[in-house]
Amino acid sequence: MYNINHHPEEQILEIEDSTSKTYAKIHLNQGASLQELTLNGQQIIQNLRPLIYENTYASAILFPFANRIKDGQYTFNDQDYQFEINQKQENNALHGLIYNKRFDISDTEVSKNKASVVLKFKEENESNGFPYTYQIKLKYTISNQGLSLEFSVKNTSSKSFPFTVGWHPYFVCEDLDQSILQFDSTKKIIIGERNIGTGVETIQPIKNFKLKHQQLDDCWVLNSGDVNFKTPGYELKIASDGDNNFMQAYTPPFENIIAIEPTTGVSDSFNNKIGLQVLEPNNQFSISWSLQLNLN
């Protein structure tokens, strides 16, 4: 039987099924990010200490933009806007506005085979860089074989706004050099100075991408929403049901760890328009990401 434990002082949710050795930890005050995940006894996501969340954005939900905005500046509907620069070294705005917000618990459900939690955040204050209000709803559903994360945003302001969305999980494995990413792509984002996306280039079709000796901070345009992460110990299917799918892969200074980030946009989407969408007042956008585990 699954159990959900809320620790209000630490703003942490723990989901556990001792029978299947499945465990998840969600930090409500860090954008409801999934900081630990073990499925069927196999650790998939681990705490990245001594690296800190403010630098890694581990498992952060990325909204209203994924990745970077050059100089934090963009123009929308003939108006110029300035985001706060939170990546000082490159002078960019990075990973949106909700990664450090506190989410509230809206609903929970447990059964013998799975557990789910619904978490919400409401932005009622317009900021200089993003003068709009909106509501975010997340639903995590966890079983011993996988996880689903449903994201939705509603535009509660009187004006339309631009956006992209992403998820920033890091996955741990036994040996990254012996691991492979499988995905379908024939295009890659051109990354310029300060890790800013400047365009799209056609590449040789990719099916199997070996991770041996790779140092990555790269983004591909996906022809489908499915990515397989094959490791010596397990295989993980990472799926998105979105229409526009990109994958950002990043290897941090941490052994046998890789970030595999499903996104709907790329670095500097607010300026290069790659993947950029517009949400009209009172309209809602939804997307789901899922993880499915198979043990070797």
Side-chain angles (χ1 to χ4, degrees):
M1 185 73 181
Y2 276 80
N3 293 294
I4 299 175
N5 296 308
H6 179 210
H7 305 281
E9 291 184 2
E10 296 90 354
Q11 287 296 306
I12 287 173
L13 268 181
E14 292 182 300
I15 302 172
E16 186 171 16
D17 176 45
S18 57
T19 302
S20 66
K21 298 181 180 178
T22 295
Y23 175 81
K25 179 185 283 188
I26 298 168
H27 287 215
L28 297 174
N29 61 344
Q30 292 181 334
S33 56
L34 180 68
Q35 292 297 307
E36 297 180 36
L37 179 65
T38 298
L39 299 173
N40 204 20
Q42 175 67 57
Q43 189 173 43
I44 303 297
I45 295 173
Q46 70 176 30
N47 192 294
L48 296 182
R49 285 189 297 263
L51 304 180
I52 62 173
Y53 176 76
E54 288 74 15
N55 291 337
T56 65
Y57 301 86
S59 290
I61 309 299
L62 312 177
F63 175 85
F65 61 93
N67 214 299
R68 293 156 175 82
I69 294 180
K70 184 180 180 180
D71 299 319
Q73 298 174 350
Y74 71 100
T75 300
F76 180 67
N77 286 344
D78 298 321
Q79 294 289 319
D80 296 331
Y81 299 99
Q82 175 70 61
F83 279 109
E84 178 184 352
I85 301 298
N86 61 335
Q87 191 188 36
K88 306 295 186 183
Q89 185 176 3
E90 295 180 350
N91 198 53
N92 295 322
L94 182 66
H95 288 335
L97 298 176
I98 67 170
Y99 62 86
N100 59 357
K101 303 300 186 184
R102 193 193 81 180
F103 278 66
D104 295 318
I105 301 169
S106 175
D107 192 23
T108 63
E109 186 176 343
V110 296
S111 68
K112 180 180 179 181
N113 298 316
K114 63 181 180 180
S116 64
V117 295
V118 176
L119 310 172
K120 292 184 177 180
F121 168 74
K122 181 185 295 186
E123 181 55 82
E124 298 179 313
N125 299 311
E126 299 181 357
S127 64
N128 290 333
F130 199 70
Y132 314 100
T133 59
Y134 51 88
Q135 295 177 357
I136 305 287
K137 183 171 76 171
L138 306 176
K139 183 178 181 179
Y140 286 95
T141 302
I142 297 170
S143 68
N144 64 328
Q145 292 297 327
L147 171 144
S148 70
L149 171 52
E150 301 171 40
F151 168 96
S152 68
V153 55
K154 182 179 181 180
N155 183 352
T156 59
S157 66
S158 60
K159 301 169 289 186
S160 60
F161 60 66
F163 75 99
T164 66
V165 180
W167 183 32
H168 200 309
Y170 291 78
F171 301 105
V172 60
C173 69
E174 179 183 326
D175 188 347
L176 194 60
D177 276 350
Q178 299 301 315
S179 300
I180 295 174
L181 282 176
Q182 295 179 321
F183 57 96
D184 182 6
S185 177
T186 54
K187 294 180 180 179
K188 191 176 182 182
I189 302 303
I190 301 170
I191 303 296
E193 294 182 357
R194 294 157 52 196
N195 286 307
I196 293 299
T198 60
V200 180
E201 63 179 340
T202 300
I203 58 174
Q204 292 296 317
I206 291 179
K207 295 295 183 182
N208 296 285
F209 185 84
K210 295 181 179 180
L211 294 171
K212 187 172 184 178
H213 303 321
Q214 296 281 357
Q215 293 294 320
L216 300 173
D217 201 352
D218 298 68
C219 184
W220 288 268
V221 182
L222 299 181
N223 295 326
S224 80
D226 295 342
V227 175
N228 287 319
F229 180 38
K230 298 189 72 171
T231 81
Y234 68 85
E235 180 176 344
L236 190 69
K237 180 181 178 181
I238 305 161
S240 168
D241 69 356
D243 294 328
N244 296 313
N245 295 295
F246 302 86
M247 179 189 68
Q248 182 84 21
Y250 168 63
T251 47
F254 210 109
E255 189 175 13
N256 295 324
I257 296 282
I258 184 171
I260 305 170
E261 310 164 41
T263 67
T264 67
V266 303
S267 171
D268 211 27
S269 281
F270 272 42
N271 292 303
N272 60 37
K273 312 302 182 186
I274 301 171
L276 189 67
Q277 299 182 65
V278 174
L279 193 61
E280 301 295 334
N282 296 313
N283 283 9
Q284 181 171 294
F285 170 85
S286 299
I287 192 170
S288 294
W289 301 296
S290 64
L291 308 175
Q292 182 177 340
L293 175 71
N294 287 303
L295 296 175
N296 295 341

